[in-house]
């Protein structure tokens, strides 16, 4: 269903690709300040900054080349600065971007924490994970998924806010 349910938690919620360039420009001074502080104190910790991109494949097709380059630069600049990128994408479209060498998709595919929903790991070809063929063929149901952290694979069942398993009717 996408990440729109997180909208109430956002300080800013953009719906147009044209707004992205502006938002990335506004983030840059904060990232540069964090980078300077980290250079002075490698142990520095910052308040989390989360950038959520819903339907990354569609977004990537809609943004300008300049916005794509700024997003790539932001991903590189933000490393180690308590900046988190949360991205939703359909598996096939995301794998296509990875195969084409799109830099942000490549970085995400090699991320330390990845969640893949439904199907089997082979269905999520854009995700880099060290697993044998048999592991990649194990299928999970619609409301189940894979949590991949540092090449460790855990399957999970989606839960509701009360910690109860979600039923398919929800």
């Amino acid at each position: 269903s996408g990440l729109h349910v997180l909208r109430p938690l956002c300080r800013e919620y953009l719906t147009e690709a044209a707004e992205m360039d502006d938002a990335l420009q506004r983030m840059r001074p904060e990232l540069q300040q964090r980078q300077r502080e980290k250079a002075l104190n490698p142990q520095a910790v910052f308040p989390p900054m989360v950038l959520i991109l819903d339907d990354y494949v569609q977004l990537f097709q809609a943004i300008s080349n300049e916005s794509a380059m700024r997003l790539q630069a932001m991903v590189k600049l933000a490393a180690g600065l308590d900046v988190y990128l949360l991205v939703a994408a359909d598996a096939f479209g995301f794998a296509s971007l990875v195969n084409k060498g799109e830099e942000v998709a490549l970085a995400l595919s090699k991320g330390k924490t990845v969640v893949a929903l439904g199907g089997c790991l082979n269905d999520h070809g854009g995700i880099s994970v060290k697993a044998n063929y048999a592991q990649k063929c194990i299928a999970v149901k619609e409301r189940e998924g894979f949590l991949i952290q540092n090449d460790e694979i855990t399957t999970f069942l989606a839960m509701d806010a009360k910690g109860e398993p979600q039923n398919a009717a929800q």
Side-chain angles (χ1 to χ4, degrees):
S1 64
L3 300 175
H4 68 277
V5 296
L6 299 175
R7 185 177 190 161
L9 303 174
C10 298
R11 176 179 58 185
E12 187 174 7
Y13 188 86
L14 311 174
T15 58
E16 300 295 322
E19 299 170 315
M20 175 115 167
D21 196 47
D22 220 24
L24 292 172
Q25 281 288 70
R26 288 191 308 276
M27 288 176 68
R28 189 177 179 94
E30 170 70 18
L31 294 176
Q32 290 171 329
Q33 179 61 35
R34 287 180 179 206
Q35 206 172 35
R36 286 190 292 274
E37 288 180 38
K38 194 72 163 181
L40 294 172
N41 176 10
Q43 308 305 326
V45 178
F46 306 98
M49 182 185 291
V50 181
L51 179 61
I52 301 171
L53 304 175
D54 200 357
D55 197 347
Y56 185 71
V57 177
Q58 181 181 352
L59 174 71
F60 185 76
Q61 292 169 347
I63 62 175
S64 68
N65 287 340
E66 187 173 285
S67 288
M69 289 172 51
R70 284 202 174 128
L71 181 60
Q72 292 166 7
M74 192 271 313
V75 167
K76 289 177 185 173
L77 179 66
L81 301 177
D82 297 309
V83 176
Y84 302 93
L85 185 57
L86 179 60
V87 176
D90 73 273
F92 179 76
F94 184 75
S96 177
L97 289 176
V98 169
N99 291 335
K100 290 177 183 173
E102 195 279 312
E103 288 187 43
V104 175
L106 280 170
L108 291 168
S109 75
K110 297 173 184 167
K112 291 182 181 175
T113 303
V114 176
V115 174
L117 301 175
C120 64
L121 287 172
N122 279 333
D123 296 335
H124 301 279
I127 298 172
S128 298
V129 61
K130 292 178 184 169
N132 63 40
Y133 182 76
Q135 285 176 302
K136 288 184 176 183
C137 291
I138 297 170
V140 294
K141 297 176 185 160
E142 181 181 340
R143 299 268 177 195
E144 297 175 339
F146 302 95
L147 171 64
I148 304 159
Q149 292 181 298
N150 301 317
D151 286 323
E152 230 177 270
I153 304 165
T154 305
T155 57
F156 66 87
L157 173 63
M159 303 293 223
D160 66 16
K162 296 177 186 172
E164 301 290 327
Q166 286 186 343
N167 67 39
Q170 289 181 322

